[in-house]
Amino acid sequence: KILDHTKMLVVTPRHWSRGGRLLASGAAGLVVVLVGVLRRSPYAAPRTLATGRASSSKKTAFGGVSATYAARASEYCNAKPPSGAEGEAPASYELAGATLIIRHGARAAIHDPPLAQNAGAFACDLDELTRTVLGDWAALPETTTLDDDDGATTCAPGQLLERGFRQHVALGECLGERYAPHGSRPWSWRARATDYQRTRASAAALLTGFFAGVPGEHRVPVAADESLEPMWGAHPYRGPRCDRAASLIAGKQPISRNFTAFTDATAFFPSRTTTTPGAPSPGDRRLTSIADAVYSHYCERDAEPVCSRVDPEACVPGLEVLRAADAAYAEQYDGPDGGRRSTQLGMQPLLREILDGLLQLTTRSPVLAVYAAHDTVVAPAAAALGVFDGRWPPLASRLVFELWTTTAQAYVRILYNGEPRTDRVPGCAAAAPEDATLCPLHVVSAAVDALLDGAPSFADACAVGGSSPSSVVSARAPSSREREDDDEPPPHGSQRRRRRRRRRLRRTAPSP
């Protein structure tokens, strides 16, 4: 359980005011500066079109940032600003706590084609304030950087950027303001993250915003054994292994299918004799790999399309990639051909853990619980409950479970990126009280138990054919081929080895 891995902190949220009035201690100066930084909202990061970059007809045809392309990419760059319906309920209800599954904030690209223009150039200069706040969290992984030949410092693949940090500080601040009016007891928190710098730093940022600074040194823990981490759901080699969930999607793998429209941009990939960490192989061309590059260039590089540095007029067909990626996510996690059932079964242990945590809150002071993870956790968790919208979850997405109580009963409200969707959970529409966004806790709990399809336990539900439930064990280690097919970057070597690889790639690449 999440409680077993955390250090608890009891503190009353002190909310950041836009005027800069805050803590009445020596930390006040620090927070006033932070308010100044946040005044320019991270949700309003520059999204202007790159001037002169979409002027040719070929570029417009293959990847120019059209209005439709810009609209879809902008939705991904930022989850809806934290101004949703969290904290809203009739006056007769008391807020007992909230549990969040969050996606990390803005990050450097994981799959950035090495022969794209300006590949790998994701600025990694965190401001002094960000570093100071992160320093309050013990054992938080350092941001991994790469030193280019010209002396510039860029973020390694997948690292949380300053904008991503600010996204979650702003989200935590907003939630703190919305939850503060409910109840007089002080809030505490608990958290767990997957073992990545971007997820652990995102959780620290959100909690920093919620509590207006976390006093002392605290940790964002990870599971002691990641092969037992339920956040990974039906992942092929992470989290609790479930043979039945894997069999439902065996051989289908929609996210790994070749994307034929990308053949016009083969110059992005190195030759078959060269390799770059995190880059798709020449014969792979996965949708998620390509879409990750398209989104990251747009979000963090002032709306740049992904174009070849060998042929500047050859660009990824951006809008087509983004639409196809949405369709792949919908099929993978909510598709009728095995995707939905596999997701429901794979995510049941995590949802059961969350519901068990909410049950404990009915007699305690309010608790903010944070599960810091990825799009590949937020999407299937939402899909398992029936609240997924079928689109790739934006950066800093959130799936929120609020617990509201009366003298007679406990209720749950479920929100996806600020929008109440409780009525989509099976049984909730018919059982809702006067507030249709609420559902009795026991009804939601029954819906989560029903994901096992009548089996008495997760192990029994995962057994395939005549196999014994005891065969459901922790995930096996991935093969080298499977690591290549994963959507996460491979483990990084030393900075020196990475610099050598990048130099070799530059030498082997044709000149523009």
Side-chain angles (χ1 to χ4, degrees), residues 187-199:
W187 282 70
S188 59
W189 63 269
R190 59 181 187 247
R192 195 168 77 235
T194 58
D195 196 7
Y196 287 84
Q197 179 268 351
R198 59 184 177 275
T199 54

Side-chain angles (χ1 to χ4, degrees), residues 39 57 100 108 110 112 117 192 249 432 477 495 511-512:
R39 190 180 301 277
S57 59
L100 283 63
I110 293 175
D112 198 17
Q117 293 177 9
R192 195 168 77 235
I249 56 173
Q495 289 193 19
S511 300

Side-chain angles (χ1 to χ4, degrees), residues 363-489:
T363 59
R364 302 175 54 175
S365 296
V367 176
L368 180 73
V370 178
Y371 292 81
H374 312 263
D375 48 357
T376 51
V377 178
V378 173
L385 290 169
V387 303
F388 184 45
D389 62 4
R391 296 159 71 87
W392 194 335
L395 295 167
S397 285
R398 62 196 187 272
L399 180 62
V400 179
F401 302 78
E402 296 176 343
L403 183 68
W404 295 86
T405 61
T406 65
T407 56
Q409 196 166 1
Y411 297 90
V412 176
R413 170 187 277 120
I414 298 174
L415 307 97
Y416 182 56
N417 287 331
E419 179 184 338
R421 297 193 174 182
T422 322
D423 59 343
R424 303 187 186 186
V425 177
C428 282
E434 68 274 14
D435 185 335
T437 68
L438 297 175
C439 182
L441 176 58
H442 69 87
V443 175
V444 179
S445 182
V448 169
D449 288 340
L451 298 179
L452 297 180
D453 202 18
S457 69
F458 178 67
D460 288 290
C462 285
V464 176
S467 63
S468 168
S470 62
S471 66
V472 183
V473 296
S474 61
R476 56 180 172 81
S479 66
S480 58
R481 173 60 181 167
E482 286 171 327
R483 273 203 184 278
E484 291 175 1
D485 287 341
D486 192 16
D487 286 327
E488 299 295 343

